[in-house]
Amino acid sequence: MKRITYPLAISVALLLVYGAIRLFEPGLIGDELGKYLLAVPLLGVSVALVHAISYFLFDVVFRRRKGREAPALLRVLLSIILYSVFLLLIYRLVLEKPLGGFGIVATSTVVSVIIGLALQDTLGNFFAGLSIHTEQPFHILDAIRIGHMIGRVEAVTWRTTTVRTNDNTTVIFPNSKVAREELEVFRFNNLNRRILRVPAPYRIPPQKAITLIRETVSSIPNVAIEKTPVVRIGDFGESSITYEILYWVKDYMWIHDIDAAIRQHIWYIYRRNDIEIPFPTRHVLLEHQEPAATHEETDYDRVIDSVEIFAPLSAEEKDAVARSAVKSVYAPGELILRRGDPGDSMFIIYRGNVEVRLPSHDGHAQQVAELKPGSFFGEMALLTGEPRTADVISLSEVETLEIRKGVLQQLLENNAELAEALSHKITERQSRLDEYARAMPEEEKRVKAQTIRRRIQRFFGLD
Ligand code: CMP
């Protein structure tokens, strides 16, 4: 009502002022200016009239007849027509201007501004609705996806598109949004393809899994019978093979029910065929570790126990050897002892194998012996004071216990049998070394003898 009364009141007031001036001071305003001054209150009257007519027609007559709000577009259209008529009348009758090009342009510009500013959204929806009606990108009963929502189209009006979701809720989209958004249309009665992913264990051969799954899908209601479902490997996952089921459906709104039915059938078919439904698995290897010190001592004791020449030693002595020994680890192929080097310790092999080598006459190394865990080496230089008689090289990763001169000396003092056993071993090894030496060519023997001689001379200060 304010829309009618306010412009009307202002217009009447202006008209009274205009009338008073015309009556009492006609010379104050000229004819031309007078026309424009009269046009202003008449414009106000026009606004009031347009609102009054619109109110009467739509809020009184239309509402009474139809029992609901009149469409906004009708109001807009009527307003446009009435404003145009009133403006033209004022322009022609009051301003007494001919209806030439300028008048039309001016009038239509005013109308455009009114429409543009006040009815932007409404007109946007209206024109989007018009384009939906003309282009028909979808029809009633089709399923459409707008954004994240899928629903069945129930109605399309000039302003909105109504969609019913699978939750049985109604979503009403303004047509301008429908026209603006990316739209996916699943036509009703069309063969719409759907992909469902299901897992199967790695141990099941794909051919078997594919056959079983395909049989399952074919029997599900609402899956289109016109096209045979396809099952294929979609991915090799972390804990399972993912199979893709491609099936076709004429009413896309059924997909969730169909998917659920397929999954349910698969559970039973897997069960009957002794196939477990895979779930993420992790293999964790747990290593049980004894307290480090106890473990080492026990093991070193054991290996010293296994050394033949230490048989005469008491348990305490063996324990003392184990505790005093220096533990070392060598990489495969490492030179542990070099022939000719001085040496004052011997080694017990705790882990891995070593090779005892002599250089041969043709320059290639010659294996004299291979020693295993529980064997010892380096005793010859230690006990005779001579340089190392051969190279000792690790064949694998080797762990040794090194026994120093002082420790061995104490053991020898207390155990005559140990000295006996050791000298036996040294003699045996020496004679083997001599055998290799005998196999040496004369030249090499001569060089070797010379070397020894020189060493003796140097030792006794004879050179
Ligand atoms: P040593 O001479 O101190 O350094 C090289 C070591 O090789 C030697 O002590 C022995 O322990 C070892 N050795 C030498 N000859 C043989 C052999 N015939 N059999 C086993 N081991 C040997």
Side-chain angles (χ1 to χ4, degrees):
M1 277 313 240
K2 280 181 195 165
R3 289 182 185 177
I4 302 169
T5 51
Y6 282 10
L8 200 61
I10 293 166
S11 305
V12 169
L14 287 172
L15 275 174
L16 286 175
V17 174
Y18 176 80
I21 293 170
R22 274 271 179 229
L23 202 62
F24 301 113
E25 288 289 341
L28 196 68
I29 42 175
D31 270 1
E32 196 60 21
L33 182 62
K35 285 178 197 170
Y36 282 102
L37 286 179
L38 181 60
V40 174
L42 286 180
L43 275 175
V45 173
S46 305
V47 171
L49 268 174
V50 169
H51 282 137
I53 294 168
S54 171
Y55 175 78
F56 177 72
L57 284 180
F58 298 119
D59 294 314
V60 179
V61 179
F62 190 95
R63 193 175 287 177
R64 201 167 288 166
R65 288 215 176 155
K66 302 271 181 183
R68 62 183 165 90
E69 279 285 312
L73 190 76
L74 278 186
R75 288 174 188 268
V76 174
L77 284 176
L78 183 76
S79 301
I80 291 168
I81 293 165
L82 290 178
Y83 277 126
S84 309
V85 170
F86 286 132
L87 282 171
L88 285 174
L89 284 175
I90 292 169
Y91 190 74
R92 180 76 190 91
L93 300 178
V94 180
L95 299 181
E96 294 171 354
K97 303 260 184 199
L99 284 177
F102 174 75
I104 296 290
V105 171
T107 315
S108 62
T109 308
V110 173
V111 171
S112 307
V113 170
I114 295 169
I115 292 168
L117 291 180
L119 303 163
Q120 245 175 12
D121 282 355
T122 318
L123 285 179
N125 286 329
F126 174 70
F127 287 115
L130 276 184
S131 86
I132 290 172
H133 276 288
T134 49
E135 284 177 23
Q136 300 205 320
F138 50 79
H139 301 97
I140 306 294
L141 291 183
D142 284 351
I144 57 170
R145 187 202 302 275
I146 303 180
H148 294 298
M149 202 228 58
I150 293 187
R152 187 194 299 290
V153 179
E154 279 201 328
V156 183
T157 67
W158 63 270
R159 199 182 72 84
T160 59
T161 298
T162 306
V163 159
R164 187 170 293 276
T165 67
N166 262 340
D167 296 334
N168 205 23
T169 55
T170 305
V171 184
I172 299 158
F173 292 101
N175 285 337
S176 56
K177 184 176 165 67
V178 178
R180 216 174 28 242
E181 289 275 313
E182 207 175 86
L183 210 65
E184 197 174 355
V185 181
F186 309 97
R187 294 205 183 286
F188 189 72
N189 257 335
N190 174 54
L191 287 171
N192 302 291
R193 195 182 80 171
R194 161 81 174 161
I195 297 183
L196 173 68
R197 290 174 181 83
V198 293
Y202 270 100
R203 68 176 183 83
I204 305 299
Q207 209 40 56
K208 181 176 178 186
I210 287 171
T211 312
L212 286 176
I213 296 170
R214 199 171 33 223
E215 273 170 26
T216 317
V217 185
S218 311
S219 61
I220 306 286
N222 293 313
V223 170
I225 47 168
E226 288 85 348
K227 264 182 166 281
T228 319
V230 173
V231 181
R232 64 187 186 193
I233 291 182
D235 192 17
F236 289 112
E238 269 187 34
S239 334
S240 61
I241 299 180
T242 306
Y243 289 90
E244 287 182 345
I245 303 172
L246 280 62
Y247 67 84
W248 282 262
V249 57
K250 288 188 166 176
D251 184 350
Y252 202 75
M253 296 306 285
W254 279 108
I255 55 162
H256 297 298
D257 297 77
I258 296 173
D259 288 357
I262 292 174
R263 289 190 192 104
Q264 188 182 346
H265 282 218
I266 280 180
W267 188 91
Y268 285 101
I269 212 154
Y270 275 13
R271 183 67 171 255
R272 282 198 302 280
N273 287 277
D274 267 342
I275 302 173
E276 69 285 356
I277 292 177
F279 51 87
T281 49
R282 289 270 184 285
H283 294 279
V284 180
L285 297 177
L286 295 176
E287 195 178 318
H288 181 71
Q289 285 195 336
E290 294 288 345
T294 329
H295 168 74
E296 272 184 18
E297 276 165 21
T298 327
D299 266 18
Y300 293 142
D301 279 347
R302 190 175 48 73
V303 82
I304 284 177
D305 239 354
S306 72
V307 179
E308 237 176 87
I309 50 156
F310 287 158
L313 305 189
S314 69
E316 291 78 38
E317 283 172 323
K318 285 181 190 172
D319 201 41
V321 173
R323 268 186 285 113
S324 62
V326 179
K327 287 97 190 170
S328 309
V329 186
Y330 297 90
E334 235 186 306
L335 186 64
I336 303 173
L337 298 182
R338 190 194 305 272
R339 184 168 172 256
D341 280 356
D344 62 353
S345 60
M346 64 177 282
F347 299 78
I348 293 168
I349 304 172
Y350 169 62
R351 187 163 62 83
N353 290 3
V354 302
E355 183 184 44
V356 179
R357 266 196 214 165
L358 277 179
S360 76
H361 56 278
D362 58 1
H364 287 104
Q366 237 185 339
Q367 191 188 63
V368 176
E370 187 178 325
L371 305 175
K372 298 188 165 45
S375 309
F376 57 89
F377 57 89
E379 79 293 348
M380 292 169 83
L382 171 64
L383 290 164
T384 61
E386 287 288 312
R388 298 289 185 195
T389 52
D391 289 342
V392 179
I393 292 145
S394 54
L395 290 174
S396 55
E397 192 183 81
V398 168
E399 214 175 323
T400 58
L401 306 179
E402 187 179 351
I403 300 169
R404 294 278 159 82
K405 192 174 177 178
V407 178
L408 193 69
Q409 196 160 1
Q410 193 132 33
L411 294 175
L412 288 170
E413 279 168 17
N414 301 335
N415 295 279
E417 286 170 67
L418 178 61
E420 184 73 20
L422 274 168
S423 40
H424 266 116
K425 197 73 181 175
I426 292 171
T427 317
E428 187 186 308
R429 286 183 170 176
Q430 187 59 58
S431 56
R432 189 153 167 69
L433 285 178
D434 290 343
E435 270 173 40
Y436 277 93
R438 267 197 292 279
M440 272 184 209
E442 285 310 308
E443 175 58 19
E444 209 171 314
K445 275 186 201 164
R446 200 178 55 75
V447 173
K448 195 180 175 206
Q450 240 174 18
T451 318
I452 293 170
R453 206 165 40 246
R454 233 179 274 134
R455 206 177 289 156
I456 294 167
Q457 283 170 339
R458 208 178 304 134
F459 190 71
F460 289 102
L462 298 175
D463 53 345

